[in-house]
Structures are given as structure tokens and as C-alpha cells.
Amino acid sequence: MPLEKGDVLTALRRVKGPDLTGNIVDLGLVSEILIKNDHAYFSITVPPDRAEELEQLRLAAEKVVSGIEGVSGVTAVLTADAAAGSVARAKPTPPSPTRTVLPIGRAEHPRVQAARAKGATGDGAGPRQAASGTGHSVRAQAVPGVKHIIAVASGKGGVGKSTVAVNIALGLQALGLKVGIIDADIYGPSQPRLLGVSGKPRVAHGKVITPLEGWGLKVMSMGFLVDEGTPVVWRGPMVVSALSQMLRETDWAGDTGNLDALVIDMPPGTGDIQLTISQSVPLSGAVIVSTPQDLALIDARKGIAMFKRVEVPILGIVENMSYFLCPKCGERSDVFGHGGARDEAQKLGVPFLGEVPLHMEIRETSDSGKPVTVAAPESAYAQIFRGLAANVWGEVERAKGTLTPPPHLELTDSGKNLRAAFPDGRTFDLSAEFLRVVSPSAEVQGHSPSQRITVPGKKNVKITGMTPVGNYATRLAFDDGHNTGLYTWGYLHLLGREKDARWTKYLEELAAKGLTRE
């Protein structure tokens, strides 16, 4: 028989209330019961000052429900009214503008609290004050296995935020970083379609979720747990609980080590869900996506204001659908206007990261589950997204105070080698062949060891030119026509440090695939 709400309530009546009087159901503490694929989700309302001691109550509730025959899983979350009040209530009331529902997590280790108190961006900047002005704060808890978390947000829907988010993530990967993406748009998940990924995540070692992979990115999304055509009809606390579980109970590190960056594809708007994520997750910064017209920019301003209010650094603004080039005649049309986001960035004093055109190839590749950054890595559009990613990463490093300073670059041996002398005293000699085969655009095609496209026949390649890109990268041109690789200072420094290991791996790949350097 299928699991029903009545079964869950019957089981929960066995759980005593906070003061061992009555049970949590009759005391009116249980709400938001949802059953999906025999997985039970529910909330338990507790006093905020007793959340830590009542964690055992939550565990007891999960245990009794998990004992019901046919249950595939249980997720219980403690919630609390922001205002003090009586625990016992006849019936839980839904959230309203005057009532703030805050998720209560497990207690932090003292060392984590001490590290967070330092207030460094990206590793848990100190507790952020709730924007509602209630006086309660939500503590930003670190996400295991993740070094930096980047939110990609928009003030409203329909501006192409998810497409920009996934291509920025793939662009970061092209820079040699380990990257994941989480689809925080619970009500309208897009990443499974954009990345062409399907299936159910596996649960390992008890409660740790193994993320799926798409084009080299580690991916988590509600779209993996709910059919594409099935609406998610959850209230705020359930959404927050699901997001918290996907963030903190996913094995992001896996066998490959900690992620350098986790991109959060935020839900559109500036509501309770967005605010909770901004306050409870140690964001390294936020990228705002907007189209050029005033209507979209009005909402983009609201998004920027929200992040500033909770002290999240603004990494910059992206102008999506910036212009349209006719594929037949090449005539340019500013369908939604042009330059609005750039002007807005200047007014607000935040970086302008770049503009993305409205083009059929971007739309077609996104719909096919193979974003343009991987479908056509040498295209102008992939190059645009890699440039955006480099700009984003530069701003992340700048916010952290770890931006790699520019090296002195010199071509030697008639372009067969590049010498990079960094201010930290390290000097690396990198061959043109090595730089060519680890070009960011080439790495974008190497989504996993089984899918890697190894570039052969580059033994005699030479570098013909270097073009500075801002104060964070150079674009190298090779005599085989390749000129789309954007080498940030950080990436060149990484290549210098890992040159021997990467070269050995490249030679092994050549041998395994029957290819040669000639």
C-alpha cells in the first residue's frame, strides 16, 4: 500500500513533546507533511532557544517514521517562529509577511565558530543579520567539500539566468578548477535539462548523497528527485530543508578532492528562499544576470540591494540577450535595448562582467543538454562565457585578497616556450606544446577521463602572440590557428606548479588512445 499522511501522523504520535508531555502531533508541532515516491518530508516547530537540545526529538521523529513499512526515506526539519511564543498550538499556521520561519541546523563545532568569527568572505563570513530586522541572525554554515560558493541570481525570471549559470560553471572548469553546480530553483529546476543529466542520486554511507555528473560538473537538483512535469507544491520551510540537505549532505569532494567552486543557480526574485540562502550559506559572492531593458534592471537592482543588505559581495552584473546578430545578413538588432546593465553597474559601483548576445546556437545547445561552452568550445559564444567565468573568478579572488598578481611573460626559443615570472619569486618555463594541450578550451572538452578529447600532434606548435585581457589573464595564439584559450594568472601559476604531473597524465592518455605527439 502507498504511504499516506495518516500513517506518518500515527507514527509521530509516539514521539513525546519537548517537555515529555503529550505528543508532537496533538501539540500541533507537526506541519508541512509531504510524501513523494514513498519519501516522507515534514516540519517540527520548536522554540528557537531550544533548537540544539531538541535535535534528538527530530532524530526520534525520523526514526519512528522510517519504521513504517514501505518508507523509502525520511526528512524532518526543525523550524521556529522568529518571535518568542508558546510551543503548544492547536494548529500550525502558514508563513505570512509578519512571521519569519527560520531553519534550525545542527550545532557547530567550536573550531568552526572560531574560524567563522574571523569574517573572511567565502569561508563563513560572520553571522549575517536577518534583513527582516527581527534581531535574529542566521549563521552561515560551511558546506563540506567546497572552497568557494558563487550565487548566480536575477531579480526576475526569464532573463536566461540558468543558461548563464551553467556556462559560467563550465567556463570555470575550463580554467582548470574543480566545479559543481546546484539547482536551487526548487519550483522550476533547469539544470537537468541544460546538462542532459537524468537519474536518481545515490545515497552512500548512511545519509551522504553522491551527486550526478554532467560534462565534468558535479550536479544536484530537485529535478533528479521529481518528474519534469510534476509541480513542487511546498511551503518555505520544506524548500529550505530540501536545499540544506542538497547542499550539506552531498559528497561534493568525492574521490577527486574539494571543489574549488560551487555555483548556485538561485531561484529568481528576492523572497524568503533567496534571503535564507544568502544568510545561511557562506557565499563568496553573487553574480546578477539581467537583460538590458529598464523593466529587468528594476528587479536587478532589488537583487543587488538584497545581497548588499546581507553583506554578500557583488561579483558583478552580466547583460544577457544584449543584442541579436542576424545569422543570414549579419545585421545587428538591439531587441531589448543595449548597455543598460553596463550603465547600471557603473551607477551602482559594481563590476560589469560582460554581455552575452541573443543567439539561436546558445538556445539550441541548451535545449539539447549540451551547453554551447561544451558543444562548440571554439565558438565565439563559448569564448564569451569563458571570459565571463574568468572575470567572475578574478572577482572571487579579489574579494578574498588572493588574486594572483600579474607575472612577467616572455616568449623564448622563437615561441616554443613561455617564461612566466611571478612576483612571489617563482618562475615557470612552459612549452608551447604543453600550453596548447592544456588550453582552457581544450580542457572544456575533457569532461571526464572517459570522455576526454586528448589533443595530439602538437609537438612542433609555437606561440605566435599574446593579448592581455584586463589585469587577470592573457589570450595565447598558436600557429595552428588556435587562439581561444584564456589563461588567467592563477591558471598559469597552477600549470607551473603541476606541470610534471599534468604532462605525465597527458602522455599516458596519448598512449592509451593510440595517439602521438607528432
Side-chain angles (χ1 to χ4, degrees), residues 7-18:
D7 300 326
V8 175
L9 290 171
T10 298
L12 290 175
R13 283 192 170 91
R14 295 161 49 195
V15 180
K16 294 289 186 179

Side-chain angles (χ1 to χ4, degrees), residues 433 437 454-456 502-510:
E433 180 186 10
V437 301
T454 305
V455 182
R502 289 185 178 234
W503 182 249
T504 299
K505 185 176 181 181
Y506 169 68
L507 295 179
E508 290 173 350
E509 288 180 2
L510 285 179

Side-chain angles (χ1 to χ4, degrees), residues 477-509:
F478 298 84
D479 62 4
D480 65 351
H482 179 75
N483 63 358
T484 58
L486 192 67
Y487 297 78
T488 64
W489 310 144
Y491 186 47
L492 284 175
H493 201 283
L494 177 68
L495 290 179
R497 301 194 310 270
E498 298 183 353
K499 179 174 63 174
D500 293 341
R502 289 185 178 234
W503 182 249
T504 299
K505 185 176 181 181
Y506 169 68
L507 295 179
E508 290 173 350
E509 288 180 2

Side-chain angles (χ1 to χ4, degrees), residues 375-459:
E378 304 297 331
S379 69
Y381 310 110
Q383 185 174 328
I384 287 171
F385 282 118
R386 287 197 299 273
L388 287 178
N391 288 340
V392 168
W393 192 245
E395 291 301 324
V396 168
E397 291 189 318
R398 195 185 311 280
K400 288 285 291 181
T402 58
L403 185 65
T404 304
H408 174 71
L409 300 179
E410 178 186 2
L411 292 178
T412 62
D413 198 10
S414 300
K416 290 184 178 180
N417 290 282
L418 173 68
R419 175 165 293 171
F422 287 87
D424 65 359
R426 295 190 182 187
T427 298
F428 304 110
D429 288 303
L430 307 171
S431 72
E433 180 186 10
F434 175 62
L435 291 168
R436 174 64 180 87
V437 301
V438 298
S439 164
S441 56
E443 282 202 357
V444 166
Q445 300 175 57
H447 314 298
S448 69
S450 62
Q451 298 173 323
R452 185 177 299 280
I453 300 176
T454 305
V455 182
K458 300 301 177 184
K459 183 176 181 179

Side-chain angles (χ1 to χ4, degrees), residues 136-445:
H136 292 275
S137 63
V138 180
R139 191 173 292 276
Q141 298 182 13
V143 175
V146 178
K147 297 178 183 177
H148 297 280
I149 304 175
I150 301 168
V152 178
S154 62
K156 66 184 302 174
V159 299
K161 167 187 55 64
S162 294
T163 299
V164 171
V166 72
N167 280 288
I168 284 179
L170 290 165
L172 291 171
Q173 179 179 264
L175 297 176
L177 304 174
K178 297 173 185 174
V179 187
I181 187 167
I182 184 167
D183 199 341
D185 193 349
I186 297 292
Y187 298 117
S190 301
Q191 294 306 326
R193 171 63 67 91
L194 286 167
L195 288 165
V197 180
S198 60
K200 302 288 185 183
R202 294 185 296 105
V203 178
H205 309 298
K207 294 185 67 175
V208 180
I209 304 169
T210 301
L212 300 183
E213 289 199 18
W215 306 111
L217 301 177
K218 294 185 177 181
V219 193
M220 271 303 297
S221 170
M222 182 56 65
F224 298 143
L225 308 175
V226 179
D227 294 336
E228 191 174 49
T230 302
V232 176
V233 285
W234 291 356
R235 290 176 177 165
M238 292 304 298
V239 174
V240 170
S241 174
L243 284 174
S244 179
Q245 186 174 14
M246 285 197 295
L247 270 169
R248 295 188 171 85
E249 296 183 17
T250 295
D251 183 13
W252 295 111
D255 298 328
T256 57
N258 291 348
L259 294 182
D260 295 300
L262 176 64
V263 174
I264 300 183
D265 180 8
M266 297 278 283
T270 55
D272 181 65
I273 297 170
Q274 293 86 344
L275 182 61
T276 301
I277 294 173
S278 302
Q279 293 173 315
S280 61
V281 177
L283 296 176
S284 296
V287 174
I288 305 297
V289 180
S290 179
T291 46
Q293 75 270 38
D294 290 342
L295 190 61
L297 290 169
I298 290 172
D299 293 314
R301 292 184 200 113
K302 297 176 183 177
I304 292 172
M306 180 195 75
F307 284 116
K308 284 187 173 181
R309 189 167 186 178
V310 293
E311 300 178 359
V312 172
I314 304 298
L315 302 177
I317 301 178
V318 174
E319 181 169 286
N320 196 27
M321 308 182 203
S322 184
Y323 55 88
F324 173 73
L325 291 178
C326 177
K328 293 185 178 180
C329 68
E331 180 181 358
R332 172 171 168 157
S333 299
D334 295 337
V335 181
F336 301 108
H338 179 260
R342 183 189 295 271
D343 293 342
E344 194 66 29
Q346 186 175 5
K347 291 176 185 176
L348 297 174
V350 300
F352 179 69
L353 300 173
E355 53 191 40
V356 180
L358 177 65
H359 196 274
M360 193 175 300
E361 185 176 1
I362 297 175
R363 195 273 303 166
E364 289 176 342
T365 54
S366 297
D367 285 349
S368 69
K370 192 174 183 181
V372 69
T373 311
V374 293
E378 304 297 331
S379 69
Y381 310 110
Q383 185 174 328
I384 287 171
F385 282 118
R386 287 197 299 273
L388 287 178
N391 288 340
V392 168
W393 192 245
E395 291 301 324
V396 168
E397 291 189 318
R398 195 185 311 280
K400 288 285 291 181
T402 58
L403 185 65
T404 304
H408 174 71
L409 300 179
E410 178 186 2
L411 292 178
T412 62
D413 198 10
S414 300
K416 290 184 178 180
N417 290 282
L418 173 68
R419 175 165 293 171
F422 287 87
D424 65 359
R426 295 190 182 187
T427 298
F428 304 110
D429 288 303
L430 307 171
S431 72
E433 180 186 10
F434 175 62
L435 291 168
R436 174 64 180 87
V437 301
V438 298
S439 164
S441 56
E443 282 202 357
V444 166
Q445 300 175 57

